[in-house]
Amino acid sequence: MIADFEPGQDRIVLRAIDAVADEPGHQGFTLDQDGSFSAGEIRLREVKAGLLVELNVDDDARPEMTILVRGGGTLTVDDFVL
Ligand SMILES: [Ca+2]
Ligand SMILES: [Ca+2]
């Protein structure tokens, strides 16, 4: 959970995580644009407590990891290091 995220100042660094488990080597994440939520994609989902960042590293469209960013506001791809 991230409690005090400041857009424009803070960035969420996901680069260290291998985004595609089935592919050899290290891949970075991309932001899901078409709703497919494929392997190697992150998506943002608004929930009551804030914004949920969901990470998918394999072929099923369920997140392997989620990060809750508390508070209002939305995030863009610029708020991440992918
Ligand atoms: Ca990989
Ligand atoms: Ca998955």
Side-chain angles (χ1 to χ4, degrees):
M1 191 192 72
I2 298 171
D4 58 352
F5 188 82
E6 298 239 8
Q9 198 157 9
D10 297 326
R11 296 176 96 191
I12 300 170
V13 180
L14 303 176
R15 185 167 284 173
I17 303 171
D18 181 12
V20 185
D22 285 348
E23 268 184 52
H26 184 92
Q27 288 79 39
F29 285 97
T30 56
L31 185 64
D32 181 18
Q33 306 281 0
D34 60 3
S36 66
F37 199 42
S38 312
E41 292 187 336
I42 63 169
R43 71 179 173 193
L44 309 174
R45 205 151 62 80
E46 280 184 47
V47 293
K48 212 172 181 180
L51 194 71
L52 211 53
V53 181
E54 299 183 318
L55 287 64
N56 189 20
V57 302
D58 62 15
D59 284 336
D60 69 44
R62 286 191 304 273
E64 275 60 59
M65 184 179 163
T66 62
I67 302 164
L68 176 64
V69 182
R70 278 180 61 180
T74 55
L75 298 178
T76 69
V77 72
D78 295 332
D79 294 312
F80 293 89
V81 180
L82 298 175

